[in-house]
Amino acid sequence: MTVVRWVVTALVVIGTIAWSLPDWYVGLAGALVGLLLELTAVQAGLALGAVLFGLRITHLIIGIGSELKSWTYTHRRIVLRNIPVLATIGITGLKPGVRRRTVLTGAFSIFFCAAIAAATWFATGSAFGKGLALAATACFLLQLVPVEQPGNTSLGWFVFSLPKLTGRRLGELEARPRVLAGMDAYHRGDLDEAERIHAELAQDHPDLLTVVGLKVVTACAREKYLDALQTVVGLNGRTDLGTRELAFVMATTAGVAVQAVEAGQFPAEVGLETARSMLGNAYEAGYPKHRSNGTLAVIALLEGDTAKARQLAGWAAESSENALGRADDLITIARAWMADGNNAKARELAAEAHELAGWNPRVAATRARLEIS
């Protein structure tokens, strides 16, 4: 798919230059705007469709660059970045009938994007408009190709591939509302409720990846890192998982291994090597490297590279998709400042982390150490 994108990009550039001569540079500017416009339309269409058809929007990130302002809620994180172009949203099943609702959401976004792309052709009387129309249309057509990767799911996959889903993959999707209820309990720190929901789900769907994932996160929240590690390592040998799922499993294995090392429950030389190996395998399977910044930050912290730990954890905090994730990354930064003897900065970060997820053992332990010091 990457090759296809490069080929289409080259054709759009060549076509824009040829069509908009002699003002080809104006045409290329229009093509850039057309690309950004259509990419934004994809996310806007998904957001509107999610509201219309009963899906939950888990996060909304507006713009690129460093974080300008953020609003973190229990079920949703909204981030405004300093360059207000592009946007990213996350959606998940909230009510029964997840497949139907997701397909309808994808279809709505396709019609929305098609309308935007069609509207750009009314501007082809200028060189800018020609580039705008070509790029927007090409971007829209690429979205129709069914693609499901760790960092990208196309609209075409929602509409053309999702209706054909069967077996365990379909079970994962339809069980999502119940799993989401367990994850909601986990995120608010109600671990007893999260474990109760997991126990019920495990009776009906013991092989579902999302159900196992709920077990892993609650075990980590109980600081039972070796139990969590054993569970997630067992997933790596399953033959029924696709490449995309394996990428997430390997990245999770790396994260749990690092937490086990930090808690003193796993030898550092073994745990850190395991984490690096798993992350390398996850990258090869298509896992986006920026999503592992939080894990890499803890590795740097454990190895004494506090500056790198702060940088990586800062990037992870800015791109975090929920309150608990941001709190965890802030604590990594706080611990890096503590290692450098700057407890004042560490307290500021720990205070913000406490507001987001004060129940989290890592947050609570760090604040306790800072109060003693």
Side-chain angles (χ1 to χ4, degrees):
M1 189 60 191
T2 302
V3 175
V4 173
R5 287 197 185 98
W6 280 111
V7 170
V8 171
T9 301
L11 290 174
V12 168
V13 170
I14 294 170
T16 298
I17 292 173
W19 195 16
S20 59
L21 286 173
D23 299 323
W24 58 270
Y25 51 91
V26 179
L28 289 179
L32 176 60
V33 173
L35 173 64
L36 296 176
L37 175 66
E38 196 66 14
L39 289 175
T40 302
V42 170
Q43 302 300 314
L46 287 173
L48 290 171
V51 172
L52 288 172
F53 301 112
L55 298 180
R56 175 187 288 177
I57 299 175
T58 59
H59 63 271
L60 171 60
I61 300 174
I62 303 169
I64 57 176
S66 59
E67 182 178 303
L68 185 63
K69 180 70 175 177
S70 65
W71 299 265
T72 303
Y73 308 98
T74 303
H75 302 314
R76 184 174 299 117
R77 178 162 159 74
I78 301 173
V79 178
L80 178 63
R81 300 193 180 282
N82 59 3
I83 304 176
V85 296
L86 298 180
T88 304
I89 75 160
I91 58 176
T92 190
L94 182 62
K95 303 174 183 178
V98 178
R99 174 160 64 176
R100 175 178 56 84
R101 297 175 188 277
T102 307
V103 171
L104 288 172
T105 298
F108 178 87
S109 188
I110 284 178
F111 283 116
F112 183 80
C113 292
I116 297 295
T120 62
W121 286 88
F122 289 102
T124 54
S126 66
F128 184 90
K130 290 171 181 175
L132 182 77
L134 281 177
T137 303
C139 183
F140 168 66
L141 293 175
L142 277 177
Q143 278 292 326
L144 297 180
V145 180
V147 174
E148 187 191 26
Q149 297 175 340
N152 173 49
T153 301
S154 71
L155 298 181
W157 187 88
F158 288 127
V159 175
F160 304 124
S161 297
L162 182 53
K164 303 175 185 176
L165 213 60
T166 59
R168 182 188 57 79
R169 291 289 307 279
L170 178 58
E172 300 274 8
L173 196 68
E174 295 299 346
R176 193 164 292 174
R178 293 176 64 192
V179 174
L180 187 61
M183 291 301 294
D184 284 347
Y186 159 69
H187 278 283
R188 65 176 180 264
D190 190 349
L191 301 184
D192 290 338
E193 176 67 4
E195 289 171 339
R196 184 191 67 77
I197 293 173
H198 169 263
E200 292 179 353
L201 282 165
Q203 288 182 350
D204 300 331
H205 311 287
D207 296 328
L208 295 189
L209 197 61
T210 49
V211 174
V212 178
L214 181 57
K215 177 183 178 180
V216 170
V217 296
T218 51
C220 287
R222 296 287 193 192
E223 298 183 277
K224 299 178 181 179
Y225 297 113
L226 290 185
D227 290 347
L229 188 59
Q230 183 179 11
T231 299
V232 76
V233 166
L235 294 174
N236 286 273
R238 283 179 49 167
T239 58
D240 62 325
L241 303 183
T243 302
R244 180 177 185 271
E245 293 169 312
L246 280 173
F248 282 107
V249 167
M250 290 184 287
T252 301
T253 303
V256 176
V258 167
Q259 290 180 70
V261 170
E262 186 183 46
Q265 298 179 16
F266 201 54
E269 61 275 12
V270 179
L272 297 186
E273 181 59 32
T274 297
R276 287 197 175 91
S277 175
M278 285 294 173
L279 285 178
N281 292 336
Y283 297 154
E284 290 180 7
Y287 189 79
K289 291 186 178 181
H290 72 273
R291 294 182 68 96
S292 63
N293 282 334
T295 298
L296 293 172
V298 179
I299 292 176
L301 178 62
L302 292 171
E303 293 180 336
D305 192 343
T306 53
K308 184 178 180 180
R310 285 193 294 270
Q311 182 184 56
L312 289 168
W315 291 340
E318 288 192 348
S319 62
S320 61
E321 298 171 356
N322 54 65
L324 186 55
R326 179 171 174 80
D328 195 61
D329 295 322
L330 291 175
I331 286 300
T332 299
I333 303 173
R335 291 188 173 191
W337 280 121
M338 289 171 67
D340 286 343
N342 194 333
N343 286 349
K345 283 192 174 182
R347 287 191 183 93
E348 292 177 9
L349 293 158
E352 182 181 348
H354 177 73
E355 291 181 3
L356 295 170
W359 64 267
N360 180 271
R362 199 163 178 256
V363 174
T366 304
R367 288 193 79 228
R369 285 168 56 188
L370 285 167
E371 287 175 0
I372 293 173
S373 62

